[in-house]
Amino acid sequence: MNIPFLGSWRKRHGPARGVAVYSEGEHDPEGVAGLLSECELLRSQAYREGVELDDSAASLEALDQLVPGWRDDEESLTWLGNDAGLYLGTVIVRTVAGAAWDFWPNGHPVVRLSSGREVDVVASGHEWASSGVPELSQLYAEVAES
């Protein structure tokens, strides 16, 4: 969609980034994890490239090997960065003992490790989508060993 005033606004402010989850009262951890693990754009991009995202550390390595054709499309880049971060978080939560989704007061999702350390996976996903560094598999390895 081409909206002229958005183009000039984005040049001054940069693309919108992030994901926020708000809820009243208690939340269902499994339901939230399921919602955050959808990552539809990333999954479809990976599927087109022949990569199966099975929520494993090996799938993060496969993502790191993709040719980053999405970097030419600023709108897709933002969404793909969100998805990449949420997918990284999904793999961490499902494979690292004691890891769980948590939320900052503003609704921003992070992964909390058993040590109490919070990992802003969405910010990492944006860095990966825009520059490829750090690699998702490298981030996972760092988190898994701590």
Side-chain angles (χ1 to χ4, degrees), residues 65-144:
Q65 302 305 314
L66 291 180
V67 176
W70 59 81
R71 291 188 185 138
D72 297 333
D73 182 358
E74 235 180 89
E75 189 173 324
S76 291
L77 180 65
T78 299
W79 288 104
L80 197 67
N82 285 335
D83 278 8
L86 294 175
Y87 185 71
L88 171 63
T90 296
V91 173
I92 293 169
V93 166
R94 292 189 177 166
T95 61
V96 175
W101 285 108
D102 199 4
F103 303 95
W104 288 340
N106 66 357
H108 186 78
V110 294
V111 173
R112 181 176 301 276
L113 304 176
S114 59
S115 66
R117 176 181 167 205
E118 291 180 341
V119 181
D120 186 354
V121 291
V122 174
S124 298
H126 281 284
E127 291 173 19
W128 174 82
S130 63
S131 68
V133 177
E135 292 182 339
L136 297 175
S137 58
Q138 183 180 29
L139 289 166
Y140 174 82
E142 175 191 320
V143 168

Side-chain angles (χ1 to χ4, degrees), residues 12 19 28 56 59 68 76 95 107 125 129:
R12 289 191 314 256
V19 174
D28 170 21
S56 69
S59 66
S76 291
T95 61

Side-chain angles (χ1 to χ4, degrees), residues 12-101:
R12 289 191 314 256
H13 297 87
R17 293 182 153 203
V19 174
V21 177
Y22 294 98
S23 68
E24 294 291 325
E26 295 182 33
H27 66 276
D28 170 21
E30 288 181 28
V32 170
L35 179 66
L36 295 176
S37 71
E38 288 181 4
C39 313
E40 187 175 326
L41 180 62
L42 181 69
R43 289 182 188 276
S44 67
Q45 178 84 27
Y47 179 78
R48 283 193 300 272
E49 299 294 326
V51 174
E52 180 186 354
L53 299 185
D54 59 1
D55 301 345
S56 69
S59 66
L60 293 173
E61 293 174 16
L63 280 174
D64 288 335
Q65 302 305 314
L66 291 180
V67 176
W70 59 81
R71 291 188 185 138
D72 297 333
D73 182 358
E74 235 180 89
E75 189 173 324
S76 291
L77 180 65
T78 299
W79 288 104
L80 197 67
N82 285 335
D83 278 8
L86 294 175
Y87 185 71
L88 171 63
T90 296
V91 173
I92 293 169
V93 166
R94 292 189 177 166
T95 61
V96 175
W101 285 108

